[in-house]
């Protein structure tokens, strides 16, 4: 017994199939009234399976409803669902037919039931997505601040090696225009810098000297009373707020984590700092729900595609059907691991360097994705065996 459901923004088409034959079809509204109509139908059958596409925010209420009433379901990635249905020669596309095709899939190409997790894992993923949005906002406001400073005090970006962070933003907030430095006495600049947490007396003197030097060389476009100065200060206000919010989200993930030990195990891998460990944990959830690492590859979307026709059998690039945020985090993690490999050796960076030498003509991405497979294999082994990372053991296991 399979219920195929094609979800739209306000309503959903439902197709009930018994023994691979359509038994009934109807439409429900995407609210409690509509879901109760669905519940009445589900209760008529023993162990029904619901199949639907993960259509962003629109499918979440249905998923939550099914979880609360303890019904099994298959939540398909839309790209995967499209390919599966197209492979079954779908010629027409309507909401009613899509519901039928989704139900047929479970008979023709049975899909594994979507695993259910503690709600805290879902909440951690929500927090991780919020963190990702804030990170994107951080980049936007940094760019806006950069553009504002180009008109008022461009040379101040040479003051420190980093153009971000609490200390830098507070310095710029004090001196958003070169004239703010030129119109202040040296001792006054030092006193203002001393008020910033993290800047001692010696560093304040060094920065004050540098500020005076670069201010004298600055050729600005907008004067110190321009609205652009206000824009720069507003950018800093937003940046500091975003950074504080990001720190709060990481603390929130720590606080609600069902199994903090998993985060500790991730952090034992060279190149994975606490923030990255929390993000990986929040996106991947409990790895114990997977039967093998190949299922994790598919969940993330780095399982290889395949094209077969007659005697031709080609392995394609990664499917990208899964969790895009997790894929991005793990991709970046390979780069982070590379930066510390000289002091913190890791068999994954050894493998990355080997693959990169073999595929010089094909670029960085193929080597990085191949290394992601090895990283997933490693973190899965750490969690399943409850053991921290050990470089020597990893080398021994490979040999």
């Amino acid at each position: 017994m399979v219920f195929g459901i094609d979800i739209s923004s306000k309503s959903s088409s439902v197709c009930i199939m018994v023994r691979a034959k359509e038994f009934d079809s109807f439409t429900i509204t995407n609210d409690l009234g509509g879901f109760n109509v669905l519940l009445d139908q589900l209760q008529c059958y023993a162990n029904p399976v619901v199949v639907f596409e993960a259509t962003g925010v629109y499918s979440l209420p249905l998923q939550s409803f099914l979880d609360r009433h303890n019904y099994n379901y298959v939540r398909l990635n839309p790209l995967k669902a499209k390919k599966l249905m197209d492979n079954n020669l779908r010629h027409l596309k309507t909401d009613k037919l899509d519901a039928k095709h989704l139900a047929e899939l479970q008979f023709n190409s049975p899909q594994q039931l979507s695993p259910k997790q503690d709600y805290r894992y879902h909440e951690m993923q929500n927090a991780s997505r919020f963190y990702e949005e804030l990170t994107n906002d951080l980049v936007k406001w940094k760019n806006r601040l950069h553009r504002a400073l180009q008109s008022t005090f461009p040379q101040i970006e040479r003051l420190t090696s980093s153009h971000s962070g609490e200390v830098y933003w507070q310095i710029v907030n004090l001196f958003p225009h070169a004239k703010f430095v030129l119109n202040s006495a040296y001792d006054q600049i030092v006193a203002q810098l001393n008020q910033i947490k993290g800047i001692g007396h010696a560093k304040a003197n060094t920065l004050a000297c540098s500020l005076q030097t670069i201010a004298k060389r600055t050729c600005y476009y907008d004067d110190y009373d321009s609205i652009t100065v206000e824009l720069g200060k507003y950018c800093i206000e937003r940046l500091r707020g975003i950074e504080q919010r990001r720190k709060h989200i990481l603390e929130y993930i720590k606080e609600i984590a069902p199994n903090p030990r998993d985060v500790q195990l991730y952090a034992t891998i060279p190149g994975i700092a606490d923030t990255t460990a929390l993000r990986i944990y929040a996106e991947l959830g409990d790895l114990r729900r997977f039967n093998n690492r190949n299922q994790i590859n598919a969940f993330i979307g780095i399982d290889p595609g395949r094209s077969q026709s007659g005697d031709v059998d080609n392995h394609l690039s990664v499917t990208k059907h899964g969790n895009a945020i997790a894929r991005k985090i793990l991709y970046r993690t390979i780069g982070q691991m590379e930066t510390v490999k000289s002091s913190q050796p890791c068999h994954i960076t050894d493998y990355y360097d080997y693959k990169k030498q073999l595929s010089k003509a094909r670029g960085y991405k193929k080597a990085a994705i191949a290394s992601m497979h090895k990283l997933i294999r490693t973190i899965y082994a750490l969690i399943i065996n409850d053991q921290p990372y050990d470089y020597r053991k990893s080398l021994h296991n490979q040999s």
Side-chain angles (χ1 to χ4, degrees):
M1 169 57 54
V2 177
F3 282 64
I5 303 181
D6 184 72
I7 303 171
S8 300
S9 60
K10 296 179 181 179
S11 63
S12 297
S13 295
V14 182
C15 176
I16 304 175
M17 295 197 77
V18 180
R19 296 177 183 175
K21 293 184 178 180
E22 183 176 354
F23 177 75
D24 193 12
S25 62
F26 54 93
T27 300
I28 60 172
T29 53
N30 292 342
D31 54 24
L32 191 57
F35 293 156
N36 282 330
V37 171
L38 175 64
L39 181 61
D40 290 340
Q41 292 292 327
L42 288 168
Q43 290 173 339
C44 294
Y45 306 96
N47 303 316
V49 174
V50 179
V51 183
F52 62 92
E53 294 181 44
T55 53
V57 293
Y58 298 128
S59 62
L60 292 179
L62 173 63
Q63 181 179 328
S64 175
F65 186 82
L66 295 172
D67 282 336
R68 285 200 303 273
H69 290 86
N70 201 31
Y71 280 103
N72 292 323
Y73 57 82
V74 175
R75 185 183 64 249
L76 290 172
N77 178 281
L79 288 175
K80 182 176 183 179
K82 181 180 183 300
K83 283 191 175 181
L84 287 171
M85 287 191 285
D86 287 347
N87 287 340
N88 284 285
L89 303 178
R90 175 182 62 172
H91 297 293
L92 298 175
K93 185 186 187 321
T94 66
D95 291 345
K96 183 178 178 179
L97 282 174
D98 278 351
K100 180 181 178 181
H101 291 317
L102 285 168
E104 286 175 335
L105 280 179
Q106 198 58 19
F107 287 101
N108 300 330
S109 305
Q111 302 297 305
Q112 186 176 16
L113 295 177
S114 298
K116 298 176 183 179
Q117 296 188 91
D118 186 315
Y119 180 77
R120 287 174 292 176
Y121 286 107
H122 173 70
E123 183 66 2
M124 285 197 306
Q125 191 177 80
N126 285 341
S128 176
R129 302 300 166 86
F130 189 4
Y131 187 94
E132 187 71 17
E133 291 291 335
L134 289 172
T135 301
N136 294 334
D137 290 343
L138 200 68
V139 173
K140 291 177 184 177
W141 285 102
K142 282 181 181 179
N143 290 334
R144 289 176 182 174
L145 176 60
H146 169 74
R147 289 194 296 269
L149 290 175
Q150 292 308 297
S151 295
T152 61
F153 198 175
Q155 276 69 27
I156 199 170
E157 293 187 330
R158 303 177 187 174
L159 187 66
T160 61
S161 58
S162 174
H163 298 160
S164 64
E166 184 65 20
V167 172
Y168 172 75
W169 291 331
Q170 288 197 55
I171 294 173
V172 177
N173 196 49
L174 289 171
F175 308 103
H177 195 283
K179 272 195 176 179
F180 283 70
V181 176
L182 298 172
N183 293 343
S184 302
Y186 178 81
D187 291 343
Q188 185 181 358
I189 298 172
V190 172
Q192 287 177 287
L193 292 172
N194 264 324
Q195 299 300 312
I196 300 175
K197 185 178 180 180
I199 296 182
H201 185 69
K203 189 173 181 180
N205 276 277
T206 302
L207 289 172
C209 183
S210 298
L211 278 168
Q212 286 191 324
T213 301
I214 61 178
K216 290 174 183 176
R217 296 175 181 171
T218 295
C219 180
Y220 48 83
Y221 179 77
D222 292 312
D223 213 338
Y224 73 98
D225 56 354
S226 169
I227 193 70
T228 307
V229 172
E230 186 178 333
L231 169 61
K233 294 174 76 70
Y234 178 65
C235 290
I236 292 165
E237 179 186 331
R238 295 299 299 266
L239 286 166
R240 294 178 68 186
I242 291 169
E243 192 57 54
Q244 286 299 316
R245 181 71 67 177
R246 292 205 314 163
K247 290 178 182 177
H248 163 72
I249 289 173
L250 293 175
E251 288 300 321
Y252 179 66
I253 294 175
K254 279 184 186 178
E255 182 183 326
I256 67 172
N259 195 343
R261 170 69 174 166
D262 289 1
V263 183
Q264 295 169 1
L265 291 174
Y266 289 146
T268 63
I269 300 175
I272 298 184
D274 291 342
T275 297
T276 303
L278 281 170
R279 296 290 311 282
I280 293 174
Y281 182 50
E283 289 295 337
L284 298 186
D286 185 6
L287 293 186
R288 298 168 189 82
R289 74 187 191 277
F290 297 106
N291 295 324
N292 53 63
R293 62 181 182 272
N294 291 332
Q295 291 181 1
I296 306 175
N297 289 338
F299 174 77
I300 295 169
I302 60 169
D303 52 324
R306 190 176 183 183
S307 175
Q308 190 174 33
S309 177
D311 295 331
V312 179
D313 190 356
N314 294 323
H315 287 274
L316 309 176
S317 58
V318 295
T319 61
K320 296 186 180 180
H321 284 170
N323 186 324
I325 302 296
R327 197 162 58 243
K328 181 192 287 188
I329 293 170
L330 291 173
Y331 185 80
R332 289 174 178 169
T333 300
I334 299 301
Q336 294 171 10
M337 296 170 74
E338 275 289 291
T339 62
V340 300
K341 66 181 180 182
S342 59
S343 58
Q344 301 178 48
C346 179
H347 75 290
I348 298 169
T349 52
D350 292 344
Y351 179 75
Y352 169 80
D353 292 337
Y354 168 73
K355 293 294 288 186
K356 196 174 179 183
Q357 286 179 353
L358 290 180
S359 59
K360 282 182 180 178
R362 291 180 287 178
Y364 163 85
K365 283 189 177 181
K366 286 188 177 293
I369 291 171
S371 301
M372 284 167 63
H373 284 276
K374 193 167 283 287
L375 174 59
I376 289 168
R377 179 179 179 177
T378 300
I379 62 178
Y380 184 66
L382 297 186
I383 298 301
I384 295 300
N385 299 312
D386 192 26
Q387 291 181 345
Y389 179 79
D390 187 301
Y391 180 54
R392 292 181 180 178
K393 278 187 179 180
S394 300
L395 292 178
H396 176 74
N397 290 337
Q398 288 187 116
S399 60

